[in-house]
Amino acid sequence: MLSRGSSSLRAVLGTLTALMFVACSGGSDPGTAPQRRSEELIVQAANYELLAGEDSRFIAGLLTPDQMFVSYGTVDIEFFYLGTEEGEGTARKGPTATARFLAIEGSKDPDTKTPQATSAADGRGVYSADVTFDRAGFWAAQVTASLEDKPLSGRAVFEVFEDNRYPAVGEKAPRTDNLTVSSEDAPREAIDSRARDGEPVPDPELHRITVAESIRRREPALVVLATPVYCVSRFCGPITDMAAELNKRYGDRVNVIHLEIWRNFEESVVNKGAADWVFRDEDLTEPWIYLVDRSGKIAARWDNVATRHEIEPLLRRLPRLSR
Amino acid sequence: MFLAHGAATGLNFEALVLALPMVVVGVILFVQKTAKPIVPVVLVLGGLAAGVGGMTIFAGDDHEAEASTARDEAYARMVTGLCEARRLAGTGVDEANVVFQDEVHGPLHDLAAEVREADRSAAAALLVAKEAVESDLESGLVEGDDLEQHLAELLDATAPALAAVDVEAPAC
């Protein structure tokens, strides 16, 4: 016959054992991010600044678990608001969007409706969706892509800000006196980082005029803030080459102006002209492209990734300049 | 001692594998009453402690160790890819481009971002060498010899960059 003490001891052990298996089972809390499973997408939110209450271009790069790029076609995104403190709060459903693929300049973009896992050689780019985030704080983007009829999903958490740190649409553009080919006291590589070791400044037509002069003349400007040599982002592309092409096509309608980021990369010295636009709170982000209208206000801006597909329609609408 | 060892090395799966048999054996002994009561109690409590520790305390250390290993492996593959691209450049620029884009481009950007914080000179040399190769490939007009030379220079710049972040570069 069991003693009362033995029965109690069995009950305690039984309870503890049950508790351990419950702990191992890993229930999910609707407010926390799910653990990444091997079939999930890797989602990299790619914006530098998203603002609450404004029409925004949300961009994200997608990778498969084995590090292939997800490219082409469209993907679906559900956005969730997480709150004002990162890592806390319950997810609240927000807008949904269909994001289309934007190929980085020079990458392939075949006309296909379905995403594919590709090598970097075959296609690099991001997915872009037009979204309005109604409040500042932390948001999650739950992305679903159908690859070879198999749905993969993943999420990324990102922040939406109440106030802009960088020049924003509708604001007056900084009247920057940037370096030009006429700036004799500046090292050539401060004008374009490719102009090292005695090499001439490539694309000198992008360094003819300052932003301030363009505004003074009441001419629109496409301001390209980029460092061709010292870019470290995985989404780096030949953005200054694209700027040169746009200048060839639309130079009679807009002043295309390239601002090199670094005066001296090794000594961490940022060109003052670039710093006016991209250096805030000891933080530097690039590349950026800004379209400044004839009145000197910012008409549009693109952060991190910018494509002709997005920029050209705006440039085509500009009237030819009477020079 | 077991917990201290686990805290030092970041045990995770191993802790759980040990925890489960301890609990099972303890329960069996307890039900069969073939040992003194203290024995199954110690086994079960010890197994529970190891199991909880394996899932919580040590889980973070294990993930950090995994991330560091994955990064080192990515850099090693990157160097291997650079060696292969250099080898291919002499005979086929297109083939070299595919290898460069697939194996080298992404991790090279990651390395540049990491080195930038540790050693600006090494980062600058790496980025200058990288730009030369990318410019060759984007232009589509490069001769194989020029590309091979630029890839060799990029390899030379990669070694000190990896050293700056405490990663040993494999040889070609």
Side-chain angles (χ1 to χ4, degrees), chain B residues 69-95:
Chain B
T69 302
R71 156 193 172 269
D72 291 2
E73 286 174 358
Y75 288 159
R77 281 196 301 274
M78 173 193 75
V79 173
T80 304
L82 263 174
C83 298
E84 179 66 6
R86 185 183 66 173
R87 187 186 70 77
L88 289 168
T91 52
V93 172
D94 290 342
E95 291 83 355

Side-chain angles (χ1 to χ4, degrees), chain A residues 272-286:
Chain A
K272 183 179 181 311
D276 285 351
W277 298 76
V278 303
F279 191 63
R280 298 289 184 276
D281 303 325
E282 303 301 315
D283 187 29
L284 184 144
T285 55
E286 62 87 22

Side-chain angles (χ1 to χ4, degrees), chain A residues 57 100-105 126 239 242 246 289 302 305-313:
Chain A
R57 178 192 75 149
R100 65 189 183 285
F101 182 68
L102 292 181
I104 286 170
E105 188 72 13
V126 295
I239 202 166
M242 181 184 73
L246 289 172
I289 295 184
W302 298 269
V305 174
T307 63
R308 279 185 221 222
H309 171 79
E310 300 166 288
I311 299 172
E312 281 192 289

Side-chain angles (χ1 to χ4, degrees), chain A:
Chain A
M1 182 183 287
L2 292 173
S3 68
R4 197 174 279 181
S6 294
S7 295
S8 299
L9 196 53
R10 285 200 193 96
V12 167
L13 281 175
T15 303
L16 287 171
T17 306
L19 281 172
M20 180 186 155
F21 284 108
V22 168
C24 289
S25 67
S28 62
D29 180 336
T32 58
Q35 296 297 313
R36 189 160 77 81
R37 301 185 301 275
S38 60
E39 68 273 23
E40 286 194 8
L41 285 177
I42 301 165
V43 181
Q44 297 174 324
N47 291 92
Y48 295 144
E49 183 175 79
L50 290 162
L51 299 174
E54 299 205 0
D55 296 338
S56 298
R57 178 192 75 149
F58 173 81
I59 52 173
L62 305 181
L63 295 169
T64 63
D66 53 357
Q67 301 289 312
M68 300 280 283
F69 278 86
V70 177
S71 306
Y72 319 138
T74 60
V75 299
D76 296 321
I77 308 183
E78 291 179 276
F79 294 96
F80 296 86
Y81 180 66
L82 301 178
T84 54
E85 298 289 329
E86 190 173 12
E88 294 181 16
T90 305
R92 279 176 270 174
K93 224 165 144 30
T96 60
T98 299
R100 65 189 183 285
F101 182 68
L102 292 181
I104 286 170
E105 188 72 13
S107 297
K108 296 178 191 172
D109 187 9
D111 187 19
T112 168
K113 290 186 173 47
T114 55
Q116 295 173 21
T118 65
S119 64
D122 287 330
R124 277 190 302 133
V126 295
Y127 285 87
S128 165
D130 296 326
V131 190
T132 303
F133 300 101
D134 62 356
R135 67 197 83 174
F138 290 92
W139 288 73
Q142 182 75 33
V143 181
T144 303
S146 181
L147 267 68
E148 296 173 347
D149 295 326
K150 182 182 163 193
L152 293 184
S153 69
R155 71 152 61 180
V157 175
F158 57 95
E159 192 170 1
V160 173
F161 297 94
E162 188 68 50
D163 299 311
N164 59 294
R165 289 194 303 166
Y166 302 100
V169 173
E171 288 187 343
K172 286 185 182 174
R175 288 174 180 254
T176 303
D177 280 313
N178 46 284
L179 296 176
T180 68
V181 286
S182 304
S183 304
E184 293 184 359
D185 57 342
R188 298 289 96 181
E189 60 188 275
I191 299 171
D192 187 312
S193 46
R194 294 171 291 183
R196 291 179 325 278
D197 303 327
E199 293 288 327
V201 171
D203 307 319
E205 67 277 11
L206 304 183
H207 303 278
R208 294 178 294 111
I209 185 174
T210 65
V211 175
E213 178 64 16
S214 181
I215 294 173
R216 191 191 67 76
R217 292 183 190 178
R218 295 189 61 77
E219 294 175 356
L222 189 71
V223 184
V224 179
L225 296 125
T227 176
V229 173
Y230 301 114
C231 180
V232 299
S233 164
R234 271 193 177 230
F235 301 114
C236 282
I239 202 166
T240 30
D241 292 343
M242 181 184 73
E245 288 296 316
L246 289 172
N247 183 63
K248 278 183 194 159
R249 256 197 190 184
Y250 302 103
D252 57 346
R253 301 171 191 250
V254 64
N255 294 313
V256 181
I257 305 172
H258 168 217
L259 270 61
E260 166 62 49
I261 303 296
W262 296 102
R263 187 173 180 96
N264 187 315
F265 175 81
E266 285 193 51
E267 294 178 13
S268 301
V269 180
V270 178
N271 271 318
K272 183 179 181 311
D276 285 351
W277 298 76
V278 303
F279 191 63
R280 298 289 184 276
D281 303 325
E282 303 301 315
D283 187 29
L284 184 144
T285 55
E286 62 87 22
W288 284 87
I289 295 184
Y290 283 86
L291 179 62
V292 180
D293 68 19
R294 300 167 74 109
S295 70
K297 283 193 180 167
I298 293 169
R301 70 176 193 176
W302 298 269
D303 53 347
N304 201 355
V305 174
T307 63
R308 279 185 221 222
H309 171 79
E310 300 166 288
I311 299 172
E312 281 192 289
L314 298 182
L315 300 185
R316 274 197 287 270
R317 284 190 226 145
L318 297 172
R320 285 190 170 79
L321 297 169
S322 52
R323 286 183 179 137

Side-chain angles (χ1 to χ4, degrees), chain B residues 73-151:
Chain B
E73 286 174 358
Y75 288 159
R77 281 196 301 274
M78 173 193 75
V79 173
T80 304
L82 263 174
C83 298
E84 179 66 6
R86 185 183 66 173
R87 187 186 70 77
L88 289 168
T91 52
V93 172
D94 290 342
E95 291 83 355
N97 184 34
V98 170
V99 171
F100 182 82
Q101 297 297 339
D102 288 354
E103 304 292 331
V104 179
H105 180 266
L108 197 58
H109 278 273
D110 294 342
L111 175 61
E114 194 177 347
V115 172
R116 188 177 57 168
E117 305 304 318
D119 184 335
R120 298 285 293 190
S121 291
L126 183 72
L127 288 165
V128 166
K130 176 181 75 68
E131 193 272 334
V133 171
E134 288 179 339
S135 183
D136 288 343
L137 296 173
E138 282 155 16
S139 73
L141 300 172
V142 64
E143 294 290 331
D145 290 345
D146 291 337
L147 177 61
E148 194 175 348
Q149 174 62 30
H150 289 152
L151 283 164

